[in-house]
Amino acid sequence: MADLTHLRLERPSPGVALLVLDQPERRNAMSEEMTSSWVAAIDELAADPTVRAVVVTGEGSAFCSGGDTSWIAGEPDATVDRLRTRMIGFYRAWLSIRRLEVPTIAAINGAAIGAGLCVALACDLRYAAAGAKVGVPFVKLGMHPGMAATHLLPNVVGPAVARDLLLTGRIVEADEALRLGLVSSVHERETFLEDVLATAAEVASTAPIASRLTKLALADGGHADVESCLQWEALAQPVTLATADLQEGIRASRERRAPEFTGH
């Protein structure tokens, strides 16, 4: 396992990996150490064939308060080109979670702000604890949105809601985030992580090849049109029909038991 700083990688159940942003005294702001650890952890997970679902959450009262502002504003005399180089490397480091082929889940336990919310948006599924607050207040800090906010947010909530949140910079609570489609459900704080990990275990119990191909089919808003969709599905579904897992799934259904998928 990689040596991680400001980040923990845990294995709470078979097939499930849990990434915990772990600098609660800074509300899990994205430090340089955390960023490096994140890349190392994603590399480790990407190379592990036993991983079938990944959950991301924060230690303490916040999910992630975004980029470390002392780092962001730390070079007031830097050239635009130097700042661009720094920022694009920072974005790509955190958005590396998008290259995982297994389903990813953001467990938004508390405030998810700016780039912190973008990490949650980069995941496939998002769940919030009651009272959690989310938003993209970049313009209120005097900066253009970053971390793919202007792509990820419209993809999740649609262009109208994305414009509202990006142009006002307002922060919304969990219940409104649910109404806007930012999260799929809101859970009581006392059982929140337990609930999300149960969902992750459910995802991890599905057929791995089918799960990965479904995730790929839905990437970046899915197919351009119905014909593109049909062409993809006419190839991807036969791939899964040719697996041993398909036979196991059919047998399990007939025998009224839980299937035991192996990824073959």
Side-chain angles (χ1 to χ4, degrees), residues 24-79:
E25 68 278 8
R26 299 291 303 276
R27 294 170 58 79
N28 302 319
M30 296 153 148
S31 67
E32 289 190 63
E33 297 89 346
M34 185 188 288
T35 302
S36 297
S37 296
W38 177 265
V39 172
I42 296 298
D43 285 344
E44 181 173 323
L45 294 175
D48 186 344
T50 69
V51 174
R52 297 187 182 182
V54 175
V55 177
V56 182
T57 195
E59 182 63 43
S61 62
F63 176 78
C64 178
S65 60
D68 187 330
T69 53
S70 62
W71 180 82
I72 292 170
E75 290 188 85
D77 300 322
T79 64

Side-chain angles (χ1 to χ4, degrees), residues 71 75-92:
W71 180 82
E75 290 188 85
D77 300 322
T79 64
V80 168
D81 185 61
R82 172 166 170 73
L83 292 171
R84 176 187 177 277
T85 300
R86 283 180 65 191
M87 295 318 296
I88 202 163
F90 179 63
Y91 301 157
R92 286 177 172 156

Side-chain angles (χ1 to χ4, degrees), residues 98-258:
R98 284 169 52 85
R99 69 183 178 87
L100 295 179
E101 292 187 353
V102 298
T104 54
I105 301 171
I108 304 173
N109 57 299
I113 306 299
L117 179 58
C118 291
V119 170
L121 293 170
C123 294
D124 299 304
L125 299 168
R126 283 157 299 282
Y127 303 103
K133 296 182 179 182
V134 302
V136 278
F138 292 99
V139 293
K140 287 189 172 182
L141 294 174
M143 69 175 77
H144 187 284
M147 197 63 73
T150 54
H151 171 82
L152 295 171
L153 191 58
N155 187 44
V156 170
V157 298
V161 173
R163 288 190 185 101
D164 172 24
L165 295 177
L166 286 164
L167 294 174
T168 66
R170 69 190 183 91
I171 305 298
V172 302
E173 293 203 11
D175 289 342
E176 184 176 1
L178 177 62
R179 291 196 301 273
L180 295 176
L182 262 171
V183 299
S184 294
S185 58
V186 177
H187 299 258
E188 293 301 321
R189 302 194 67 84
E190 293 74 20
T191 61
F192 174 62
L193 188 56
E194 179 183 339
D195 291 346
V196 177
L197 289 176
T199 298
E202 187 176 342
V203 171
S205 72
T206 64
I209 296 171
S211 177
R212 288 171 184 241
L213 290 175
T214 301
K215 171 169 175 164
L216 289 173
L218 295 169
D220 288 322
H223 307 287
D225 50 50
V226 171
E227 184 59 27
S228 299
C229 172
L230 294 179
Q231 293 292 345
W232 166 268
E233 291 183 353
L235 286 171
Q237 194 169 62
V239 167
T240 58
L241 295 182
T243 62
D245 277 349
L246 181 277
Q247 300 301 324
E248 164 62 9
I250 297 296
R251 277 195 306 273
S253 178
R254 289 173 177 166
E255 296 168 9
R256 299 181 184 278
R257 61 174 174 81

